[in-house]
Amino acid sequence: MKKKKVLAVVLMIIIFAIVLLMSYYICEPMLKMVKDPDKFRDFVASKGIKGVLTFMVAMTLQVIAAVIPGGPFEIAAGYAFGAFYGALIADIAMTIGSVIVFLFVKKFGMNFASLFVSKEKIESLKFLKTTKKSEFIIFMLFLIPGTPKDLLSYAVGLTDLKLGAWLFITFVGRFPAILLSTYSGTLAVKKNYTFFIIIIIVIILLGLIGGYWYRRWHNSHKA
C-alpha cells in the first residue's frame, strides 16, 4: 500500500513537471504570438493543421495549468479561424483540458488538484453535490461569463459527477462565452473597431456581473 502511494506521488510530480515544461515551451511563445494578430494568422496559415494542433495544445494546457489567461487565446481563435470555427476549435481544446483535469482528479483526488489550485479554494466548493439540481447549477456556472471555470474543473472532479454529464456541461456551457470572444477577434481583423470595442465592453461587463453573482452565490452557499 505504501509503495502504491509513493508511486502515485512520483507520478503526480512527473505530470506536474510535464505540464509546467509544456506550458513554458508552448503556451508562453503562443501567448506572445496571439497578441500580434498578423503574426499569429501567418503562423497558422504557414503551419496548416500543425498550427491548429499547436494552438489547441496551448489552450488545453491553459485549462490544466489554471493560471494562464484564456481570453487572449479565444480572441486569437476568432481572427485566425473565424468566429464560429474559432469558437469550436477553442471549445474542443478547452473541453479536452477539462476532461483531463476531471479524470486525473478522479484518480488522484485532492493531492493532484492541490498541485494546480490551492486546497482552500477547492474546499470552498465542497458543498457541490451531484444531484440533478447541482448539475444544473454547475452548468449555469459554466454558462455565465466571469465564473472561475478552471477552478470549477478541479472541484467537480472531487464529486461523483459522471463523465458524460461533465462533457456536456463543459462543452455546451463554455461555448456562448467563447463565441462572443472569437466574434470580437473577427471584428478586429475586419478593422471594425467600433463594434470590436462594444463587444469587448460587453464581455467585460458580463464578466463583472458574472463574477459578482458568483461571489454572492458562493458566499451564501458556503455559509
Side-chain angles (χ1 to χ4, degrees), residues 91 95 128-149 152-153 156 159 161 164-177 213-214 217:
D91 200 12
T95 298
L128 288 174
K129 303 296 181 184
T130 306
T131 64
K132 290 298 180 183
K133 183 179 179 181
S134 68
E135 286 181 11
F136 176 75
I137 290 171
I138 295 169
F139 176 75
M140 290 304 296
L141 288 172
F142 267 78
L143 191 63
I144 297 170
T147 56
K149 296 174 179 60
L152 289 165
S153 294
V156 168
T159 72
L161 186 74
W166 177 237
L167 273 169
F168 176 83
I169 289 170
T170 187
F171 183 79
V172 177
R174 285 183 193 270
F175 191 77
W213 175 85
Y214 171 77
W217 176 85

Side-chain angles (χ1 to χ4, degrees), residues 64 66 101 105 108-129 148-159 214 217-218 222:
I64 298 171
V101 168
V105 174
F108 299 111
M110 181 63 79
N111 290 330
F112 176 79
S114 59
L115 289 173
F116 298 93
V117 182
S118 72
K119 190 175 180 180
E120 292 74 19
K121 286 184 178 180
I122 296 172
E123 287 185 339
S124 71
L125 295 172
K126 64 183 180 182
F127 54 82
L128 288 174
K129 303 296 181 184
K149 296 174 179 60
D150 295 338
L151 168 60
L152 289 165
S153 294
Y154 280 92
V156 168
L158 296 171
T159 72
Y214 171 77
W217 176 85
H218 177 270
K222 187 170 67 171

Side-chain angles (χ1 to χ4, degrees), residues 13-44:
I13 292 172
I14 292 172
I15 293 167
F16 182 66
I18 290 172
V19 170
L20 287 181
L21 286 171
M22 289 183 70
S23 296
Y24 179 77
Y25 285 108
I26 296 177
C27 288
E28 188 181 28
M30 185 67 73
L31 190 58
K32 290 178 180 177
M33 197 180 297
V34 298
K35 292 177 181 178
D36 185 338
D38 293 331
K39 186 177 180 181
F40 179 70
R41 293 185 77 190
D42 290 343
F43 169 80
V44 173

Side-chain angles (χ1 to χ4, degrees), residues 92-111:
I92 290 171
M94 296 178 86
T95 298
I96 292 171
S98 296
V99 168
I100 291 172
V101 168
F102 180 84
L103 293 176
F104 272 104
V105 174
K106 284 285 188 186
K107 178 68 175 177
F108 299 111
M110 181 63 79
N111 290 330

